[in-house]
């Protein structure tokens, strides 16, 4: 378990996400392995049968097929949900593999070899579109930053696995029969599909068009390229990087065709070479890439790949032009092909995606689609045409010529990559200005971006400065330089925001600067907040020099500091506070109350108590706040008494009770126990406990549930709000659940009986339906406490929508989340079906109660097995005004003493001998 947690922590995967991530990983693993096997088989057969000069023609064919595939995919995703598109693509890819497997005997025909090799790009593109289309719906932007690299990493070990299978099996079964293995891997993915589709996250998805359709038309492509300079320059970088990869591969394939004559040798080399590439890529992508930008910055990270390739290219071209160095040139091109593939996949692409983060969501998604849906096929087309032209002019590929082409492409790549940082900074500045950059969806991961924002803050307007401070406050970076710069800003509001963030982010290192600012005249209006921040980090700070300050707010903070931490000036501070109370002036009395509340001294209890009854509302409010801050039991008792008798919710008293902390808990607990949690005040106090910390409020609430189970319906929502763990009291909550479910069964029979036999009692019938709705809410709260919280929240949402489909979906999910013994009865009672159908279902799973009019009346009035609401009892008494009672009227005597006025009055009427009717 410790190793598992360590692995999840290293991969930045949370426990709640591990199931989804692992299933997606495994599901994609076998598809990736199949596609890897298809590629090694296709490229081996192609190189064995056709000259290397024909490879550029495959690039051209692939370009058009990729555009066509992307277009069809975008059309289909309007008709199918994300998870269904996964199945459609999987079945299509299996059909393609089966198609080439059937026609494998045509492996000497050029049309077959061209189509077979070009189809690999189609399979790979569709697999990526469906998988990332689904992932984009499953994960939000913050999750994608953590999980996309992990989920996408399944492609690498899958290909490594596929290449190893190739290496082991080719000598035994031959190249052609490998397609059976590929088909088998896809079949495994198909068998895993139901397990993926049943995941709660996927089942909750609704159909959504999740891909921006940037490839639908030339106009939309032009809009994407010209509408945003950052997207355009990143598209150029992506174009040149793929062009370089294609050229390097053509050169390498030429050497491979020359070196290896048999298909087994050739396929063995591809397996070893490509397996090594995937292994290195996996290591770099998981362990290095997410830390690279932090170290080198965006611009340098983008330049790493082309700079390394320039060095390798110059070295390789030099040796390829030297006679007698054929083998050395072969190995050097192999190293360059390996480096290009690894660095493009593990470094280049993630950095390009990270560079789009400042863009609004729709532009960012359009950019992603543009890169894969348009620029990749365009690179295939351009390089296919160029290489075809070169190979047409030369009978055999000349490495030196290809090397010069590669060098020119890399230089263009470097130029484009050098421009990215300029447009990235502009996009960042635009996002700040236009308020489109949300800190929740943006991550500053490099020093260049941090330095840019810091420089921008120095000369920013008040509005932009607020935007920058709020944004960096959400980031995992050293925020101290930003807050120090914010303190130096010309705007007092920016300075104030910086002070707030210094406390929120616990930046104690800026206390020395705050001490300096406390003596600067320019900061006089912020001096109270500066002193608050200083004493927040250093409560014993000596503020004696401010005891005679002309600003009362400053003096008040100095008095509090001296009284809380006695010293040479403490007596003077006490005299000032006493003088404020005696002054009779409103402003000094308010200051005195605030100070007395913060000092927690019993010396001023009488003054605070008197102020609680002051005529001035402001003085009363200050006294309430002071009583809460002070926390003395006598003052808290007065606050609670005020809360109880106010007859309405008083936000000031509620806040004061919250501030009093533990003292309030004891007082509230005692009141709830004394009143048995009955009455409107008790309900208000139970609701108030929802605002207290759960670790203290929940034990009180649970004690009340245990002692007064009939009041559970008022208490359970607060326990759910606190996400209380009931592990120590499972039997208590399960007992309540069984009681509620049994009562719900009875109510279904009661309602059915009244509808059928006594249609005139519709008032009582509706009251019982309300009771049934209460039980449903109660059961859902109990389910949420006892079982899977996430699933039950979705179930509640389904019931709140209250449509036939939403309730049906909610019940289906509940059946998965809740044990059968509870779920079966709950579903039978609360599904949207006719009364007859529900009765029929209940007769099969629960004991049928004896139902009659007297039975129903007695159950309601005497709370037999369930505590009914006062309103339901009032409905029964209203109907009994002129009916014979099924019991002695003296049994109703207790209701004449109830707090509920309607119930009390109706009980008195029914008991009276003359049977006075209501008017």
């Amino acid at each position: 378990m410790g190793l598992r947690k360590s692995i999840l922590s290293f991969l930045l995967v949370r426990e709640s996400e591990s199931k989804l991530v692992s299933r997606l990983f495994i599901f994609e693993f076998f598809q990736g392995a199949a596609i890897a096997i298809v590629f090694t088989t296709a490229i081996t057969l192609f190189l064995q049968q056709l000259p290397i000069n024909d490879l550029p023609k495959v690039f051209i064919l692939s370009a058009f097929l990729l555009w066509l595939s992307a277009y069809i995919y975008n059309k289909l995703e309007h008709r199918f949900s994300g998870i269904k598109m996964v199945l459609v693509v999987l079945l299509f890819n299996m059909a393609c593999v089966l198609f080439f497997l059937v026609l494998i005997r045509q492996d000497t025909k050029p049309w077959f070899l061209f189509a077979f090799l070009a189809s690999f790009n189609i399979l790979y593109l569709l697999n990526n579109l469906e998988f990332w289309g689904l992932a984009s719906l499953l994960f939000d932007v913050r999750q994608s930053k953590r999980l996309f690299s992990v989920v996408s990493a399944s492609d690498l070990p899958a290909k490594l696995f596929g290449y190893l299978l190739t290496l082991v099996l080719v000598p035994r079964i031959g190249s052609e029969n490998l397609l059976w293995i590929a088909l088998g891997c896809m079949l495994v993915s198909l068998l895993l599909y139901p397990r993926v589709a049943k995941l709660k996250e996927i089942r909750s998805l609704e159909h959504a068009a999740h891909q921006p359709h940037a490839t639908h038309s030339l106009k939309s492509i032009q809009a994407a390229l010209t509408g945003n300079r950052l997207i355009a320059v990143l598209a150029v970088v992506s174009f040149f990087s793929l062009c370089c990869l294609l050229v390097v591969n053509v050169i390498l394939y030429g050497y491979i065709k020359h070196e290896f004559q048999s298909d087994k040798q050739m396929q063995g080399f591809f397996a070893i070479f490509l397996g090594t590439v995937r292994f290195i890529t996996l290591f770099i992508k998981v362990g290095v890439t997410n830390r690279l930008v932090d170290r080198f910055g965006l611009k340098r990270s983008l330049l790493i790949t082309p700079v390394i390739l320039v060095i390798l290219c110059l070295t390789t071209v030099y040796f390829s032009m030297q006679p007698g160095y054929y083998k050395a040139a072969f190995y050097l091109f192999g190293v360059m092909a390996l480096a290009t593939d690894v660095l493009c996949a593990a470094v280049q692409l993630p950095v390009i995606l990270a560079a789009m983060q400042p863009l609004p969501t729709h532009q960012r998604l359009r950019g992603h689609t543009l890169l894969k849906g348009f620029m990749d096929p365009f690179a295939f087309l351009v390089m296919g045409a160029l290489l075809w032209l070169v190979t047409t002019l030369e009978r055999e590929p000349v490495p030196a010529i290809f090397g010069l082409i590669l060098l020119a492409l890399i230089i263009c790549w470097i130029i484009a990559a050098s421009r990215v940082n300029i447009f990235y900074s502009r996009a960042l500045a635009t996002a700040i200005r236009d308020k489109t950059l949300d800190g929740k969806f943006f991550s500053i991961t490099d020093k260049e971006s941090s330095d840019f924002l810091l420089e921008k803050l120095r000369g920013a307007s008040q509005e932009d400065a607020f935007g920058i401070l709020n944004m960096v406050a959400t980031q995992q970076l050293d925020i101290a330089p930003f807050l120090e710069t914010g303190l130096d800003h010309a705007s007092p509001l920016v300075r104030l925001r910086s002070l707030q963030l210094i406390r929120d982010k616990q930046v104690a290192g800026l206390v020395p600067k705050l001490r300096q600012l406390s003596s600067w005249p320019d900061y006089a209006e912020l001096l109270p907040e500066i002193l608050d921040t200083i004493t927040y980090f250093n409560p014993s700070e000596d503020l004696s020099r401010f005891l005679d300050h002309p600003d009362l707010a400053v003096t008040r903070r100095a008095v509090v500091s001296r009284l809380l931490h006695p010293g040479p000036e403490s007596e003077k501070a006490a005299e000032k506070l006493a003088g404020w109370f005696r002054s009779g002036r409103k402003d000094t009395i308010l200051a005195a109350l605030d100070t007395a509340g913060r000092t927690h001294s019993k010396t001023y209890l009488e003054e605070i108590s008197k102020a609680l009854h002051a005529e001035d509302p402001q003085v009363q409010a200050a006294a309430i706040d002071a009583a809460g801050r002070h926390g003395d039991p006598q003052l808290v008792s007065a606050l609670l008494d005020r809360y109880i008798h106010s007859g309405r919710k008083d936000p000031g008293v509620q806040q004061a009770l919250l501030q009093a902390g533990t003292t309030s808990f004891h007082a509230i607990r005692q009141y709830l126990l004394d009143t048995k949690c009955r009455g409107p005040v008790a309900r208000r106090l139970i609701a108030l406990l929802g605002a207290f910390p759960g670790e203290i409020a929940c034990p009180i609430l649970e004690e009340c549930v245990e002692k007064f189970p009939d009041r559970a319906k008022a208490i359970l929502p607060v326990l759910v709000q606190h996400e209380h763990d009931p592990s120590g009291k499972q039997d208590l909550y399960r007992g309540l659940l069984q009681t509620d479910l049994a009562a719900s069964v009875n109510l279904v029979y009661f309602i059915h009986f009244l509808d059928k036999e006594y249609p005139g009692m519709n008032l009582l019938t509706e009251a019982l339906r309300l009771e049934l709705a209460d039980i449903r809410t109660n059961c859902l709260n109990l389910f949420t406490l006892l079982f899977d919280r996430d699933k039950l929240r979705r179930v509640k949402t389904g019931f709140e929508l209250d449509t036939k489909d939403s309730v049906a979906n909610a019940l289906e999910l509940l059946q998965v989340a809740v044990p059968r013994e509870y779920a079966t009865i709950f579903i039978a009672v609360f599904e949207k079906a006719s009364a007859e159908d529900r009765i029929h279902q209940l007769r099969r799973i629960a004991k049928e109660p004896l139902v009659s009019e007297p039975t129903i009346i007695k159950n309601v009035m005497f709370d037999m097995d369930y505590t009914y609401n006062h309103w339901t009892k009032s409905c029964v008494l209203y109907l009994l005004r002129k009916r014979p009672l099924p019991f002695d009227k003296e049994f109703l005597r207790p209701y004449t003493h109830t707090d509920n006025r309607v119930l009390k009055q109706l009980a008195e009427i029914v008991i009276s001998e003359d049977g006075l009717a209501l008017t």
Side-chain angles (χ1 to χ4, degrees):
M1 183 62 70
L3 178 61
R4 180 176 180 275
K5 287 186 177 180
S6 299
I7 293 174
L8 292 178
S9 176
F10 174 74
L11 297 176
L12 302 179
V13 179
R14 296 171 183 168
E15 184 68 33
S16 60
E17 302 160 340
S18 59
K19 187 176 182 180
L20 173 63
V21 171
S22 61
R23 288 198 184 178
L24 288 176
F25 187 98
I26 296 171
F27 177 72
E28 180 66 8
F29 176 88
F30 286 99
Q31 293 188 73
I35 292 173
I37 293 172
V38 169
F39 173 72
T40 55
T41 305
I43 191 64
T44 300
L45 293 176
F46 185 92
L47 294 180
Q48 190 180 17
Q49 301 292 336
L50 297 176
I52 193 67
N53 293 16
D54 284 342
L55 192 57
K57 300 175 185 176
V58 177
F59 293 165
I60 297 173
L61 176 61
S62 296
F64 290 105
L65 290 177
L66 287 172
W67 276 324
L68 178 63
S69 301
Y71 178 81
I72 294 174
Y73 181 90
N74 282 327
K75 289 293 185 182
L76 287 176
E77 70 174 353
H78 283 295
R79 301 185 59 183
F80 298 104
S81 63
I83 189 62
K84 287 183 180 178
M85 279 302 298
V86 171
L87 181 60
V88 169
V89 170
L90 180 56
L91 291 174
F92 175 81
N93 286 354
M94 288 182 67
C96 285
V97 174
L98 187 61
F99 172 79
F100 288 110
L101 189 59
V102 171
L103 298 177
I104 196 67
R105 298 300 177 188
Q106 308 292 323
D107 62 352
T108 59
K109 303 291 181 63
W111 70 266
F112 175 85
L113 296 171
F114 273 81
F116 191 17
L117 186 54
S119 70
F120 157 75
N121 293 312
I122 309 304
L123 300 183
Y124 189 75
L125 173 68
L126 292 177
N127 177 251
N128 271 271
L129 286 176
E130 54 89 356
F131 185 74
W132 289 114
L134 179 63
S136 68
L137 293 174
L138 287 171
F139 302 115
D140 58 37
V141 181
R142 289 184 66 85
Q143 287 177 309
S144 69
K145 293 175 187 175
R146 291 185 291 105
L147 301 179
F148 272 14
S149 62
V150 178
V151 176
S152 67
S154 63
D155 183 54
L156 303 173
K159 289 180 178 177
L160 181 59
F161 173 71
Y163 298 140
L164 290 176
L165 278 180
T166 300
L167 183 64
V168 172
L169 296 177
V170 166
R172 293 173 173 80
I173 65 175
S175 300
E176 294 85 351
N177 290 322
L178 274 178
L179 290 183
W180 287 108
I181 307 299
L183 189 63
C185 288
M186 287 191 172
L187 183 60
V188 173
S189 282
L190 185 62
L191 295 175
L192 291 173
Y193 173 82
R195 288 177 58 82
V196 174
K198 288 179 181 178
L199 286 167
K200 64 179 182 180
E201 294 86 354
I202 291 179
R203 290 181 66 185
S204 66
L205 292 179
E206 296 180 357
H207 176 71
H210 53 275
Q211 290 288 341
H213 309 292
T215 59
H216 275 184
S217 65
L218 289 175
K219 286 186 178 180
S220 61
I221 293 169
Q222 182 183 9
L225 285 172
T226 60
N228 188 283
R229 300 294 296 276
L230 178 59
I231 291 178
V233 73
L234 288 174
V236 173
V237 171
S238 177
F239 170 80
F240 283 116
S241 63
L242 182 56
C243 287
C244 291
L245 181 62
L246 294 175
V247 174
V248 171
N249 284 340
V250 169
I251 300 171
L252 180 64
Y253 294 160
Y255 277 104
I256 292 172
K257 182 175 176 63
H258 186 273
E259 283 291 311
F260 304 105
Q261 301 304 316
S262 70
D263 63 334
K264 294 181 180 179
Q265 289 179 328
M266 193 178 297
Q267 203 142 19
F269 173 82
F270 275 119
I272 295 173
F273 176 78
L274 295 175
T276 303
V277 168
R278 300 310 165 205
F279 179 79
I280 297 173
T281 304
L282 177 63
F283 172 77
I284 294 176
K285 196 168 189 177
V286 174
V288 178
T289 302
N290 54 353
R291 297 168 174 84
L292 188 68
V293 180
D294 287 334
R295 179 74 179 274
F296 293 102
L298 187 69
K299 178 179 178 180
R300 292 174 184 172
S301 297
L302 282 171
L303 290 173
I304 287 174
T305 303
V307 168
I308 291 175
L309 292 183
V310 163
I311 298 171
L312 289 174
C313 182
L314 291 173
T315 305
T316 305
V317 170
Y318 172 78
F319 279 100
S320 66
M321 296 174 66
Q322 304 299 317
Y325 283 90
Y326 181 85
K327 283 282 186 182
F330 168 56
Y331 290 121
L332 283 170
F333 270 114
V335 170
M336 189 160 63
L338 184 148
T340 306
D341 202 334
V342 169
L343 292 174
C344 284
V347 178
Q348 188 77 9
L349 182 58
V351 174
I352 285 176
L353 297 180
M356 293 188 191
Q357 284 183 302
L359 300 176
T361 303
H362 69 282
Q363 287 189 7
R364 185 164 64 245
L365 294 176
R366 177 183 288 182
H368 293 172
T369 301
L370 178 67
L371 263 60
K372 301 303 294 181
F374 176 74
M375 294 308 294
D376 282 4
F378 185 61
F380 273 106
L381 178 62
V382 172
M383 293 317 300
L386 177 61
L387 294 176
W388 189 9
L389 177 63
V390 172
T391 53
T392 301
L393 296 176
E394 299 287 341
R395 291 187 176 181
E396 293 290 335
V398 179
I401 294 177
F402 283 111
L404 292 173
I405 293 174
L406 181 61
L407 187 61
L409 290 171
I410 297 174
I411 291 173
C412 294
W413 182 356
I414 291 174
I415 294 172
S418 300
R419 300 280 294 171
V420 169
N421 207 53
I422 298 173
F423 297 113
Y424 176 79
S425 298
R426 290 179 184 175
L428 198 58
T430 301
I432 295 169
R433 185 191 67 219
D434 296 342
K435 310 294 184 301
T436 58
L437 192 58
D438 191 335
K440 295 184 294 183
F441 304 124
F442 182 76
S443 180
I444 298 172
T445 57
D446 62 287
K447 189 174 184 301
E448 289 178 0
S449 298
S450 177
D451 290 344
F452 169 80
L453 287 173
L454 186 60
E455 185 61 34
K456 182 75 176 174
L457 178 61
R458 290 192 176 97
S461 65
Q462 175 180 294
E463 193 174 5
D464 286 351
F466 263 97
I468 295 172
L469 287 175
N470 290 334
M471 183 180 65
V472 298
T474 66
Q475 306 300 312
Q476 298 296 321
L477 49 73
D478 182 11
I479 197 174
F482 291 91
L483 300 182
E484 186 172 7
T485 303
L487 289 173
D488 294 331
H489 198 276
S491 169
L493 293 177
V494 174
R495 296 175 183 176
L496 180 60
R497 179 58 178 153
S498 300
L499 285 170
Q500 293 169 345
L501 289 175
I502 288 172
R503 283 197 286 184
D504 292 345
K505 297 299 178 180
Q506 303 289 311
V507 188
L510 290 178
V511 169
K513 181 176 180 67
L514 294 178
R515 291 193 183 106
Q516 293 178 354
L517 297 180
S518 67
S519 60
W520 290 9
D522 290 346
Y523 288 80
E525 61 182 311
L526 292 177
L527 186 54
E529 288 75 18
I530 291 173
L531 297 182
D532 278 343
T533 307
I534 293 173
T535 53
Y536 174 82
F537 292 105
N538 184 23
S540 60
E541 183 82 14
D542 185 6
L543 301 181
S544 301
R545 66 185 185 278
F546 297 106
L547 284 173
D548 295 317
H549 198 278
D551 188 337
L552 186 59
V554 174
T555 309
R556 187 171 75 242
R557 284 157 175 80
V559 169
V560 171
S561 174
R562 285 298 84 200
L563 292 179
L564 287 175
H565 303 280
E569 300 291 336
S570 296
E571 187 176 340
K572 181 179 180 181
E575 290 176 359
K576 277 192 170 292
L577 178 55
W580 288 345
F581 273 117
R582 294 192 302 266
S583 68
R585 289 169 46 196
K586 182 177 176 179
D587 59 338
T588 54
I589 290 175
L590 293 176
L593 288 169
D594 179 78
T595 306
R598 295 174 188 273
T599 59
H600 307 291
S601 171
K602 293 186 178 294
T603 308
Y604 309 103
L605 289 180
E606 186 178 350
E607 283 80 358
I608 297 175
S609 296
K610 288 180 181 178
L612 286 172
H613 305 286
E615 294 182 1
D616 190 297
Q618 279 188 281
V619 175
Q620 272 196 36
I624 290 170
D625 181 69
R629 290 180 182 276
H630 196 288
D632 181 80
Q634 178 184 337
L635 294 175
V636 170
S637 178
L639 288 173
L640 187 59
D641 186 66
R642 185 187 185 95
Y643 186 79
I644 291 170
H645 294 97
S646 64
R648 58 184 177 82
K649 293 182 179 180
D650 187 333
V653 177
Q654 289 189 56
Q655 184 61 32
L657 289 170
L658 286 171
Q659 288 177 335
T662 307
T663 311
S664 287
F665 295 135
H666 293 310
I668 292 172
R669 173 183 176 274
Q670 195 58 51
Y671 182 88
L672 292 175
L673 295 179
D674 291 343
T675 61
K676 298 182 179 181
C677 293
R678 295 181 181 277
V681 175
R683 289 197 297 271
R684 284 164 50 198
L685 289 174
I686 289 169
L688 180 61
L689 286 172
F692 283 92
E695 60 271 15
I696 302 178
C698 287
I700 299 175
L701 294 167
E702 195 165 65
E703 181 184 7
C704 291
V705 171
E706 191 168 15
K707 291 184 177 181
F708 318 113
D710 59 311
R711 309 307 301 157
K713 66 176 68 175
I715 301 171
L716 289 175
V718 185
L719 288 171
V720 171
Q721 177 186 331
H722 280 301
E723 297 189 348
H724 175 57
D725 179 8
S727 54
K729 299 282 186 180
Q730 286 273 335
D731 292 342
L732 168 65
Y733 295 104
R734 288 176 182 267
L736 292 172
L737 190 53
Q738 289 170 347
T739 299
D740 282 346
L741 289 173
S744 70
V745 173
N746 290 340
L747 282 172
V748 171
Y749 281 99
F750 292 171
I751 293 170
H752 179 63
F753 175 80
L754 292 174
D755 278 339
K756 188 175 181 181
E757 303 294 335
Y758 294 92
M761 288 190 176
N762 59 330
L763 182 65
L764 177 57
T765 305
E766 290 304 315
L768 293 179
R769 286 196 173 96
L770 291 175
E771 293 285 355
L772 200 57
D774 271 359
I775 290 178
R776 187 185 72 183
T777 302
N778 225 36
C779 287
L780 289 174
N781 284 328
L782 287 165
F783 287 152
T784 305
L785 286 172
L786 290 167
F787 309 117
D788 191 320
R789 283 194 177 95
D790 291 334
K791 286 187 176 72
L792 269 302
R793 287 193 184 101
R794 296 175 188 270
V795 170
K796 284 184 177 180
T797 302
F799 279 111
E800 288 168 2
L801 293 173
D802 199 30
T803 65
K804 182 177 179 180
D805 289 339
S806 69
V807 172
N809 293 335
L811 292 175
E812 282 293 313
L813 184 56
L814 183 134
Q815 194 168 24
V816 175
V818 174
R820 184 180 179 83
E821 59 183 301
Y822 306 122
T824 304
I825 295 177
F826 185 90
I827 291 171
V829 170
F830 294 108
E831 67 180 342
K832 282 187 173 293
S834 65
E836 288 76 10
D837 288 339
R838 285 194 283 178
I839 292 290
H840 178 73
Q841 183 69 18
L842 286 171
R843 282 177 180 146
R844 298 165 54 189
I845 59 176
K847 183 179 179 180
E848 183 175 357
L850 295 173
V851 184
S852 64
E853 183 189 5
T855 303
I856 296 173
I857 292 172
K858 289 177 182 178
N859 268 271
V860 173
M861 296 308 301
F862 305 127
D863 295 328
M864 297 175 68
D865 301 323
Y866 178 73
T867 304
Y868 290 86
N869 288 306
H870 288 321
W871 171 248
T872 306
K873 294 176 180 180
S874 299
C875 290
V876 170
L877 290 178
Y878 182 82
L879 294 171
L880 289 176
R881 288 173 302 133
K882 293 185 178 181
R883 288 174 178 266
L885 292 177
F887 47 80
D888 192 294
K889 64 177 63 178
E890 286 303 311
F891 284 109
L892 295 179
R893 190 69 61 183
Y895 289 112
T896 61
H897 305 289
T898 184
D899 293 333
N900 187 280
R901 293 181 181 178
V902 175
L903 184 58
K904 179 180 179 181
Q905 184 180 6
L906 284 168
E908 291 172 347
I909 291 172
V910 173
I911 291 174
S912 64
E913 293 183 356
D914 57 359
L916 179 65
L918 281 180
T919 58

